[in-house]
């Protein structure tokens, strides 16, 4: 985590002032526009702002909430913002914090997706993406390494990762089946050899204090955060309706096999399979969106991931790009309403992707607040995380193939893209440059090459 700055050190003895809903709204609004850097960067930013600088919540309570979010499918940084917003200002506080974490990214991606799909053949845009595609391949490889180095702590977990890679790369096993198989192995393994399925690299107990906070270690759980069965039932019923009503309307108006209805159903399933973060669900998204439904091409999927990497908000917001391109190319509302079709599809898939995240926090938060101990990964989740490493490695190879052999193995090998990918990998692994810097540099190289050479 970041170290406290001078301003934070000077005021650590003062009791922070209560935060109004309006003040919190302003902060969450700002956070939505500056939350770059993926989950690690976003969590670090929230820690610096909420724990160190503003002291809205203590280190221990912050990590307690984070541990719970790490256990859930879905974007953990967005769920953490939802959790803290809910803890401070009840249900609407959580909804506002979570929604503002996503909304700026959605609007930006709708605009960028339109520019991409409508003007992607222009030399300027084509040149930028020519350099970006190899960079994305290196970024995904780095994600596999980063998650693997944290998760694969023994030979059993390495074996699970290898088996998942073979299952998806060689046997083309669907991602949900891999997750289910890993969970079963983890459940049985946790009983037979529990030491092999202890999670590594988790968020343990906090031993730092940055002074008094609004929600301190010993602050009693607020009334709205206490567990009650009636509240749990209410959240479940309301959440079920928020899913069933739009899904039912889509089915009634367009039919089950229509693109919008299938997008709603597909991304509902995707939302429940994102153990391990966005990189874990991307293979499932490309299996379905590219391979099964044909909403976009492999090249467009790589470009969408590049756009997702360079915009604020959760990386899983790449689903908005998938939805926009799918709605646009399927001409859902006729040739005169292409932008409208894309924007509606992008908004729809964002709704179905993020709705479960809000429900997990509003339903599970009171259970978490009833204990102020640290949560650990269960054995099934440890096994799932190991399996995710193999799946992400498959995704990196998928991208590498389509970048280096854009016309397939029978076509020409793209040596320039290989050099760009290698340079991006060196920048990420050796020199520890951040993702945005690498993408910007590779985009500039691609533009220069497109203009002067290609």
């Amino acid at each position: 985590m970041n170290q406290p700055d001078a301003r934070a050190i000077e005021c650590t003895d003062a009791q922070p002032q209560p935060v109004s809903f309006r003040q919190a709204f302003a902060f969450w609004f700002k956070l939505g526009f500056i939350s770059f850097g993926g989950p690690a960067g976003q969590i670090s930013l929230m820690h610096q702002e909420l724990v160190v600088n503003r002291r809205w919540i203590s280190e221990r309570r912050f990590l307690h909430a984070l541990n719970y979010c790490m256990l859930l499918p879905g974007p953990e940084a967005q769920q953490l913002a939802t959790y803290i917003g809910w803890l401070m200002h009840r249900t609407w506080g959580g909804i506002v914090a979570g929604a503002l974490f996503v909304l700026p990214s959605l609007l930006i991606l709708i605009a960028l997706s339109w520019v991409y799909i409508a003007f992607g053949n222009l030399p300027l845009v084509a040149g930028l993406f020519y350099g970006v595609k190899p960079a994305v391949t290196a970024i995904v490889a780095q994600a596999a390494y980063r998650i693997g180095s944290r998760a694969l702590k023994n030979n059993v977990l390495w074996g699970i990762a290898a088996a998942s890679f073979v299952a998806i790369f060689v046997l083309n096993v669907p991602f949900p089946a891999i997750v289910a198989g890993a969970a079963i192995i983890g459940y049985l393994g946790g009983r037979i050899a529990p030491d092999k399925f202890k999670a590594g690299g988790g968020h343990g107990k906090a031993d730092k204090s940055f002074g008094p906070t609004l929600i301190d270690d010993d602050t009693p759980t607020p009334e709205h955060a206490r567990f009650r069965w009636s509240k749990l039932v209410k959240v479940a019923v309301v959440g079920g309706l928020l899913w069933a009503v739009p899904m039912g309307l889509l089915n009634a108006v367009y039919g089950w096999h229509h693109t919008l209805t299938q997008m709603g159903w597909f991304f509902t399933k995707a939302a429940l399979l994102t153990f391990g973060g966005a990189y874990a669900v991307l293979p499932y998204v490309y299996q379905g969106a590219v391979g099964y439904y044909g909403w976009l091409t492999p090249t467009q999927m790589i470009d969408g991931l590049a756009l997702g990497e360079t915009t604020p908000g959760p990386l899983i917001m790449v689903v908005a790009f998938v939805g926009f391109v799918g709605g646009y190319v399927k001409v859902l509302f006729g040739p005169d309403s292409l932008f409208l079709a894309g924007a509606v599809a992008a908004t729809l898939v964002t709704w179905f992707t993020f709705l479960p995240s809000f429900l997990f926090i509003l339903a599970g938060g009171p259970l978490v607040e009833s204990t102020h101990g640290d949560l650990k990964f269960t054995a099934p989740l440890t096994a799932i995380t190991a399996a995710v490493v193999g799946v992400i490695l498959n995704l990196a190879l998928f991208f590498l193939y389509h970048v280096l052999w854009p016309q397939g193995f029978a076509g020409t090998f793209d040596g320039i893209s290989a050099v760009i990918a290698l340079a991006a990998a060196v920048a990420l692994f050796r020199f520890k440059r951040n993702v945005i810097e690498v993408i910007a540099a590779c985009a500039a190289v691609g533009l220069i090459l497109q203009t002067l050479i290609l």
Side-chain angles (χ1 to χ4, degrees):
M1 294 293 182
N2 294 340
Q3 295 299 315
D5 58 20
R7 178 169 60 85
I9 294 173
E10 290 174 0
C11 65
T12 52
D13 292 334
Q15 180 67 34
Q17 297 298 311
V19 178
S20 68
F21 184 85
R22 183 175 181 179
Q23 290 172 311
F25 184 98
F27 169 76
W28 299 121
F29 182 81
K30 171 187 173 184
L31 182 67
F33 285 96
I34 63 174
S35 57
F36 292 93
Q42 293 157 357
I43 291 168
S44 179
L45 175 62
M46 279 191 282
H47 178 270
Q48 183 69 34
E49 287 290 333
L50 299 178
V51 177
V52 180
N53 295 345
R54 301 170 188 265
R55 290 183 292 128
W56 288 1
I57 187 169
S58 71
E59 172 96 349
R60 187 179 300 274
R61 298 288 283 270
F62 180 90
L63 292 182
H64 181 66
L66 177 57
N67 277 330
Y68 173 58
C69 296
M70 293 290 288
L71 289 171
L72 299 173
E76 59 266 33
Q78 185 264 350
Q79 290 169 336
L80 180 61
T82 305
Y83 190 107
I84 296 174
W86 162 79
L87 195 57
M88 294 183 66
H89 293 108
R90 308 173 68 90
T91 299
W92 277 109
I95 292 173
V96 165
L100 291 179
F101 200 89
V102 172
L103 187 59
S105 179
L106 173 62
L107 298 177
I108 293 170
L109 273 174
I110 286 176
L112 291 178
S113 299
W114 176 70
V115 171
Y116 169 82
I117 198 68
F119 306 104
N121 292 326
L122 295 179
L124 172 63
V125 180
L128 291 172
F129 278 99
Y130 179 79
V132 163
K133 289 185 183 72
V136 169
T137 302
I139 290 166
V140 176
Q142 184 202 32
Y145 172 79
R146 186 174 64 246
I147 297 173
S149 62
R150 189 171 64 240
L152 306 182
K153 298 299 184 181
N154 56 62
N155 291 336
V156 173
L157 297 179
W158 272 99
I160 293 173
S164 74
F165 173 77
V166 171
I168 195 168
F169 183 78
V170 178
L171 305 177
N172 200 30
V173 176
F175 182 59
I178 294 174
V179 170
I184 293 171
I185 292 172
Y187 175 78
L188 297 175
R191 291 173 172 267
I192 298 170
D195 289 344
K196 297 293 186 180
F197 290 87
K198 289 181 178 178
H203 299 271
K205 291 188 175 182
D207 57 3
K208 295 181 181 179
S209 175
F210 300 101
T213 60
L214 291 174
I215 303 175
D216 223 328
D217 291 352
D218 54 358
T219 300
T221 300
E223 183 63 26
H224 72 272
R226 297 182 185 276
F227 176 76
R228 290 188 178 86
W229 281 107
S230 59
K231 288 184 178 180
L232 179 61
V233 171
K234 181 179 179 181
V235 170
V237 170
V238 173
L241 289 174
L242 290 174
W243 179 87
V245 169
M247 181 60 72
L249 288 174
L250 288 171
N251 191 33
V253 174
Y254 297 111
W256 178 249
H257 297 290
H258 189 270
T259 297
L260 290 178
T261 311
Q262 286 298 299
M263 281 183 173
W265 176 239
F266 175 75
F267 285 102
T268 296
K269 294 183 290 182
L272 301 176
L273 293 169
T274 51
F275 294 101
Y279 284 108
V281 79
L282 286 175
Y284 178 61
V285 172
Y286 92 70
Q287 261 191 344
V290 176
Y292 183 78
Y293 291 105
W295 292 330
L296 70 173
T297 67
T299 298
Q300 289 171 336
M301 185 72 191
I302 302 172
D303 294 339
L305 182 55
L307 290 178
E309 291 277 12
T310 55
T311 54
L315 179 58
I316 194 59
M317 280 304 298
V318 69
V319 301
F321 174 87
V322 173
F324 187 96
V325 173
Y328 191 101
V329 301
K330 295 295 184 181
V331 197
L332 297 181
F333 303 143
D336 296 328
S337 302
L338 296 178
F339 176 82
L340 177 63
V344 168
T347 304
L348 181 141
V349 302
T350 301
W351 173 266
F352 284 106
T353 299
F354 283 91
L355 177 62
S357 291
F358 288 95
L359 299 181
F360 287 141
I361 298 303
L362 298 179
L367 291 170
V368 177
E369 282 298 308
S370 66
T371 64
H372 285 169
D374 294 314
L375 297 176
K376 303 293 185 181
F377 283 112
T378 64
L381 288 172
T382 301
I384 290 172
T385 303
V388 160
V389 177
V391 173
I392 297 174
L393 177 60
N394 170 73
L395 181 68
L397 293 179
F398 167 83
F399 283 173
L400 187 67
Y401 165 72
H402 286 284
V403 168
L404 302 188
W405 288 274
Q407 281 82 43
F409 283 128
T412 305
F413 174 77
D414 192 337
I416 295 177
S417 290
V419 171
I420 296 174
L422 181 60
V426 171
L428 290 166
F429 285 92
R430 175 66 179 86
F431 296 102
K432 310 298 182 185
R433 309 309 301 179
N434 68 51
V435 166
I436 294 178
E437 289 175 340
V438 172
I439 287 180
C442 291
V445 170
L447 182 59
I448 293 171
L449 291 172
Q450 183 75 22
T451 303
L452 300 180
I453 301 175
L454 301 177

